[in-house]
C-alpha cells in the first residue's frame, strides 16, 4: 500500500449520532440542515486527519437526500477522501440510518461531496501534503 493510500485509509472518519425529536421537522424526520451540519463536521475531521493542516470548507455539491431519517434512529456518518488536489481535498460523506429497536436494518439515506482547502498561518492556500 502506497503512502497516499495509507493516508486516505487512516483519514476515514465514522461518527454515530441519534436522531432526537429536537432535530426533526414537522414530518418527524431529520432536518436537512442538521444532516448537512453532521456531514460538514465529519468532512472537516476527515480532511484534517488526512492533511494535518488548517482546513476550511469551500464548497458542497451534489447532496442527495435519498431516504428520510425518522426520529429515534441511529445514524452513522462516514467521511472518506475521494480526490486530492494541490491545495484542496474532496471528501465524500455518506449517512446510513438504522432503526434503534426491533431490527438491524441499515440503509444509505444521504450522500454528498465537500471540498476543503488547506490554509497556512496567513490564511492563504497551501499544499495539503
Amino acid at each position: 500500500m502506497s503512502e497516499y493510500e495509507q493516508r486516505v485509509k487512516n483519514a476515514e472518519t465514522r461518527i454515530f449520532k441519534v436522531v432526537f425529536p429536537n432535530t426533526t421537522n414537522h414530518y418527524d424526520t431529520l432536518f436537512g440542515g442538521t444532516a448537512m451540519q453532521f456531514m460538514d463536521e465529519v468532512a472537516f475531521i476527515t480532511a484534517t486527519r488526512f492533511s494535518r493542516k488548517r482546513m476550511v470548507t469551500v464548497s458542497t455539491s451534489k447532496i442527495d437526500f435519498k431516504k428520510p431519517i425518522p426520529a429515534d434512529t441511529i445514524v452513522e456518518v462516514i467521511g472518506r477522501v475521494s480526490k486530492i488536489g494541490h491545495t484542496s481535498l474532496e471528501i465524500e460523506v455518506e449517512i446510513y440510518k438504522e432503526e434503534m429497536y426491533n431490527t438491524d436494518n441499515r440503509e444509505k439515506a444521504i450522500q454528498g461531496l465537500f471540498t476543503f482547502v488547506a490554509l497556512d498561518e496567513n490564511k492563504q492556500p497551501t499544499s495539503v501534503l
Side-chain angles (χ1 to χ4, degrees), residues 18-21 24 70-74 98-101:
V18 174
V19 178
F20 291 108
T24 62
D72 297 328
T73 299
I74 297 170
E98 60 184 75
E99 294 179 27
M100 197 176 303
Y101 308 109

Side-chain angles (χ1 to χ4, degrees), residues 63-75:
I63 297 177
D64 293 321
F65 295 86
K66 296 174 178 279
K67 304 274 183 179
I69 303 174
D72 297 328
T73 299
I74 297 170
V75 294

Side-chain angles (χ1 to χ4, degrees), residues 19 23-25 28-35 38 68-71 75 95 110:
V19 178
T23 62
T24 62
N25 58 28
D28 204 27
T29 60
L30 183 65
F31 277 117
T34 302
F38 292 170
I69 303 174
V75 294
I95 296 182
I110 305 170

Side-chain angles (χ1 to χ4, degrees), residues 26-80:
H26 57 290
Y27 293 112
D28 204 27
T29 60
L30 183 65
F31 277 117
T34 302
M36 290 173 65
Q37 179 183 352
F38 292 170
M39 295 171 81
D40 190 41
E41 178 183 351
V42 167
F44 168 77
I45 293 168
T46 304
T48 302
R49 291 179 74 204
F50 177 85
S51 68
R52 298 298 173 178
K53 306 255 173 108
R54 292 177 185 90
M55 303 297 291
V56 293
T57 309
V58 293
S59 72
T60 63
S61 60
K62 194 76 173 127
I63 297 177
D64 293 321
F65 295 86
K66 296 174 178 279
K67 304 274 183 179
I69 303 174
D72 297 328
T73 299
I74 297 170
V75 294
E76 180 180 17
V77 188
I78 305 169
R80 294 181 184 96

Side-chain angles (χ1 to χ4, degrees), residues 12 73 83-84 89 94 127:
E12 182 176 299
T73 299
K83 187 176 178 183
I84 304 166
L89 291 173
E94 299 171 317
S127 172

Side-chain angles (χ1 to χ4, degrees), residues 3 13 19 22 26 32 57 128:
E3 180 185 344
T13 302
V19 178
N22 67 330
H26 57 290
T57 309
V128 293

